[in-house]
Amino acid sequence: MTGRLARAWGPALGLLLGACSEDKSPFDGVKPPDGLQYEHDTPWTEGSTVPPPGPGGRVLVTNSLDDTVSLLELDGATTPGWRELARVPVGLNPVELEGPHHTAVSPDGAFYYVGISNYVPGGGSGPHGAHGTGSDDGYCLKMDARDNRRVGAVRVDPNPGDVIVSKDGKTLYQSHFDTLKILEVAQRGGTEDEMHARLAIIDAETMTRKAMVSVCPAPHAIRLSPDERTAYIACWSDEVAIVDLTALTEQPRRVKVAPGSGTAISPRHQPYALTMSPTTGDVWVSSMASRELHVLESATNTMNAARTKRLDGAPMFGDFSKDGKTLYVPYQGVEALLVIDAATGTTQREIDLAPEGCLNAHQATLTPDGSHALVVCEGDHVGPGTLHAVNLADGAVVNTVRVGIFPDSVSILGGRR
């Protein structure tokens, strides 16, 4: 999702509410049984011919508008001539776009997990609408890293957003960026509590749902506390949901990101991405509409308004240096990578990515040695997006690779750490 689209959501939601027809389908609100798993019997009959990942590690990029994952060798990221090894298909139905959205990788490098959001950007209404407006249930897929074949899948709720994995690799957490639910509940005059979407907690070995926890309206980014007892989730309703993973029957606490925040129907900030400090556990919240970074301090689980940082564009998914001293955040509109002193919030450097072809920067991930950032840019959602390798010592973009259409995540599988 681009910043321009996000900033248009507030008024657009109001227009949609007024324009919706009162005609009802007999299938409105009908959900398939929980046990039903829809998938093609043999979605991809052939495995990838790409060799298994080596000790150097592999880079994964989800391309949400052509149902593929781009594969690149991490070892080549810092040398000229870096390129895709392959672009492998991913999904359950070979004849329909399903919108793979975000990846998580197992700590041992044996598997990776892909959210199937069942939306098609620009696809209009229907089961596969724009991001957050699909009405079909989504899936989480388990892929074998050796041959990129699906080895497991579990059905979840509509519009899967972020997906992450626990440190021991046993548990997956998947959010659901269900803005359609906000629209439908508002249309019938329901409450904001009824707009809440759920967090799926999944057994990574069996690919079964362990729990489905109601959290907030249109939750997206998820980050776990260092002890993994708490989940922090960005909510479209200008909130961060704080989920006690040791007491799932308790109502999650929700904290507004700033004074005077809006609601699910009329958000003023639109939190979308989170970046967590590896040393303090503080959570940096990327708000797209207000173009601000907010800081939730983990010691008190409260926002510190004095640390809010205003930007010239919409901040997205960032990453921290291992020592927690430096935050790297890509932001849209300017198309740059910000280098921020985490203690003071001051900008140390701004690395311009636009001259290298970046449009709609989405995520930055540091290489295991911390020397480079891999920044994925969505592009114009019509042609290929781009992946950039940035030398953090001198700010130079050392490689630019064209990937698939609308790439929206970059992950590193294995590699020396």
Side-chain angles (χ1 to χ4, degrees):
M1 175 182 285
T2 67
R4 290 187 295 275
L5 179 58
R7 291 190 293 275
W9 246 102
L13 189 56
L15 290 173
L16 284 168
L17 288 170
C20 285
S21 167
E22 293 300 320
D23 295 336
K24 298 291 184 182
S25 163
F27 300 104
D28 283 352
V30 176
K31 298 284 289 181
D34 279 347
L36 179 66
Q37 298 279 342
Y38 168 75
E39 55 186 286
H40 193 281
D41 290 338
T42 54
W44 309 110
T45 57
E46 297 181 2
S48 167
T49 58
V50 179
R58 181 158 289 173
V59 177
L60 311 175
V61 176
T62 47
N63 301 307
S64 63
L65 199 49
D66 62 17
D67 279 12
T68 63
V69 174
S70 292
L71 308 178
L72 305 92
E73 292 288 22
L74 178 60
D75 276 348
T78 61
T79 56
W82 197 36
R83 60 182 179 82
E84 282 182 311
L85 287 174
R87 197 176 298 169
V88 298
V90 64
L92 295 169
N93 189 334
V95 298
E96 189 171 62
L97 287 175
E98 298 169 283
H101 187 65
H102 288 209
T103 55
V105 299
S106 63
D108 62 6
F111 304 100
Y112 62 95
Y113 306 89
V114 183
I116 295 296
S117 60
N118 276 330
Y119 79 94
V120 176
S125 60
H128 292 194
H131 184 20
T133 66
S135 59
D136 277 2
D137 281 348
Y139 276 78
C140 186
L141 307 185
K142 182 178 184 177
M143 310 294 292
D144 191 322
R146 295 170 299 178
D147 58 10
N148 303 291
R149 293 284 298 273
R150 178 180 57 79
V151 294
V154 60
R155 181 168 66 86
V156 289
D157 287 343
N159 301 299
D162 202 10
V163 58
I164 64 171
V165 64
S166 59
K167 293 175 185 176
D168 62 10
K170 294 181 179 180
T171 306
L172 299 168
Y173 300 88
Q174 188 169 42
S175 63
H176 298 88
F177 187 64
D178 197 351
T179 57
L180 178 62
K181 189 173 188 178
I182 297 174
L183 173 66
E184 291 177 338
V185 172
Q187 182 186 7
R188 61 177 172 77
T191 66
E192 187 159 296
D193 281 352
E194 294 176 273
M195 300 175 184
H196 290 185
R198 299 190 293 179
L199 172 69
I201 303 177
I202 301 166
D203 184 304
E205 181 178 357
T206 63
M207 293 303 288
T208 54
R209 296 183 299 186
K210 297 165 66 174
M212 299 291 286
V213 182
S214 178
V215 286
C216 63
H220 195 253
I222 315 165
R223 293 295 180 266
L224 299 182
S225 60
D227 63 6
E228 299 197 336
R229 296 169 61 88
T230 305
Y232 297 92
I233 306 174
C235 304
W236 195 247
S237 50
D238 287 355
E239 298 169 306
V240 174
I242 303 172
V243 183
D244 184 345
L245 298 175
T246 69
L248 294 177
T249 57
E250 295 183 6
Q251 187 77 9
R253 179 184 172 195
R254 294 187 299 278
V255 179
K256 289 292 185 180
V257 297
S261 291
T263 64
I265 293 297
S266 301
R268 297 179 181 177
H269 298 279
Q270 297 171 352
Y272 188 73
L274 301 176
T275 309
M276 176 176 284
S277 167
T279 53
T280 67
D282 290 350
V283 181
W284 291 66
V285 184
S286 296
S287 290
M288 300 182 71
S290 61
R291 301 180 173 185
E292 291 176 340
L293 284 168
H294 312 275
V295 181
L296 186 151
E297 295 183 338
S298 62
T300 59
N301 278 340
T302 58
M303 308 300 301
N304 185 339
R307 298 177 68 183
T308 298
K309 185 175 180 67
R310 176 83 181 195
L311 306 178
D312 293 328
M316 298 296 286
F317 287 89
D319 203 355
F320 267 94
S321 59
K322 288 182 180 179
D323 61 11
K325 293 180 179 180
T326 308
L327 171 64
Y328 301 89
V329 178
Y331 68 121
Q332 298 183 350
V334 178
E335 314 308 347
L337 180 66
L338 276 182
V339 182
I340 299 171
D341 183 302
T344 64
T346 57
T347 299
Q348 298 177 323
R349 174 187 284 173
E350 182 174 301
I351 302 172
D352 192 4
L353 302 175
E356 305 300 327
C358 174
L359 177 63
N360 295 317
H362 193 99
Q363 183 179 5
T365 296
L366 299 195
T367 55
D369 64 5
S371 66
H372 290 70
L374 305 181
V375 184
V376 69
C377 302
E378 301 168 11
D380 62 2
H381 307 170
V382 177
T386 53
L387 177 65
H388 306 269
V390 182
N391 187 321
L392 298 177
D394 59 13
V397 177
V398 297
N399 271 307
T400 295
V401 180
R402 286 158 64 94
V403 288
I405 303 175
F406 201 163
D408 61 14
S409 73
V410 54
S411 301
I412 297 175
L413 181 79
R416 304 176 186 89
R417 297 181 185 273

